[in-house]
Amino acid sequence: MPIEFAKYQGLGNDFILIDNRHSSEPAITPEQAVDLCDRHFGIGADGVIFALPGQNGTDYTMRIFNSDGSEPEMCGNGIRCLAKFIADLEGLEAKTQYRIHTLAGVISPELRSDGQVKVDMGVPRLLAAEIPTTLAAPDAKVIDVPIEVAGKSWSVTCVSMGNPHCITFVEDVSAVALETVGPQFEHNKAFPQRTNTEFIQVVRSDYVKMRVWERGAGVTLACGTGACAAVVAGVLVGKCDRATAVELPGGVLEIEWAEVSGRIYMTGPAQRVFTGCISD
């Protein structure tokens, strides 16, 4: 059966979106997702996202297959794209806010009148067991902890946004050999479920530059959960304000870590690029 799809991007982090409201199981397999994400022989994307029926009172369920076929718990840029996709599907019936079930919990994106999407990303998890990582005792936080990667000692802070992140601060983010260092962080034995890795250059306490190696996708132009985790890490080590702009290769995300509620809010764009049909 032919499958209709839409291509969306959030700061250059691009996804194939599939209307999967007819079934609680994804319409394609992880192996098929790998083929579709291929930028030379497929559609080209960082992942495939499915809009499935909601669970436990939510409006929809989100699942995503990365470009390597793995399934992450959540994707920040992806959920903004999903919110826009859902609104486009619903047309005149579209709401401005949705509750979406993910493997990282319920996430609530809000479509704003200025075209931006603001997402309540929930509360970051900071204990080693929650990330997970063996860099500290299970009930301890991982803040400014040394790790040996690629023949060098790095000082890292670890945060879970429902998916694992390892953040390190550098003098010049453009000088990081991301394609070499990134995979060695991702597959380091200290991270039993692998990890996303963010390299952060602090320009001001309210403005940072970031490059990311995404678990299961490699170098991407943006990572929403990574930007959230980076600001949390920056606050924990005294380098960032609770409201900080994160400049990624694909553009800027506005991140706020609310002091009273402890919740993280991410605001950024999402845009439809084109639509098509998968015939076989």
Side-chain angles (χ1 to χ4, degrees), residues 98-244:
Y98 295 95
R99 296 180 72 249
I100 298 177
H101 177 87
T102 77
L103 295 179
V106 177
I107 307 294
S108 299
E110 175 188 355
L111 288 90
R112 301 194 329 188
S113 58
D114 62 359
Q116 299 281 92
V117 182
K118 182 177 182 178
V119 185
D120 179 350
M121 299 288 286
V123 177
R125 302 161 199 174
L126 304 177
L127 301 184
E130 297 173 320
I131 289 160
T133 179
T134 59
L135 287 174
D139 59 350
K141 297 177 182 178
V142 182
I143 302 174
D144 256 348
V145 172
I147 184 175
E148 285 285 331
V149 176
K152 176 183 173 181
S153 180
W154 306 75
S155 181
V156 302
T157 299
C158 296
V159 177
S160 173
M161 292 301 306
N163 56 352
H165 294 271
C166 176
I167 301 97
T168 185
F169 292 87
V170 298
E171 289 295 320
D172 181 5
V173 74
S174 65
V176 177
L178 203 55
E179 293 83 355
T180 301
V181 177
Q184 295 187 56
F185 268 99
E186 178 182 355
H187 296 281
N188 190 280
K189 63 182 181 180
F191 303 103
Q193 294 181 15
R194 300 188 290 162
T195 188
N196 301 278
T197 309
E198 288 78 31
F199 301 87
I200 310 298
Q201 176 185 340
V202 178
V203 179
R204 301 188 308 268
S205 62
D206 65 347
Y207 196 99
V208 301
K209 293 182 178 181
M210 167 178 147
R211 292 177 69 204
V212 58
W213 178 271
E214 284 202 55
R215 179 187 60 166
V219 177
T220 58
L221 295 179
C223 177
T225 56
C228 294
V231 172
V232 171
V235 172
L236 292 175
V237 300
K239 294 180 182 290
C240 293
D241 298 340
R242 284 185 171 267
T244 294

Side-chain angles (χ1 to χ4, degrees), residues 29-66:
T29 66
E31 292 76 21
Q32 290 172 311
V34 172
D35 292 338
L36 293 176
C37 289
D38 189 289
R39 297 190 182 277
H40 300 287
F41 298 100
I43 298 166
D46 292 321
V48 180
I49 295 175
F50 307 88
L52 298 102
Q55 302 179 38
N56 302 321
T58 58
D59 298 302
Y60 291 90
T61 295
M62 171 187 181
R63 288 186 63 184
I64 176 171
F65 294 151
N66 283 325

Side-chain angles (χ1 to χ4, degrees), residues 34 100 195 252 263 272 279:
V34 172
I100 298 177
T195 188
V252 176
R263 303 184 77 82
R272 183 170 61 185
S279 59

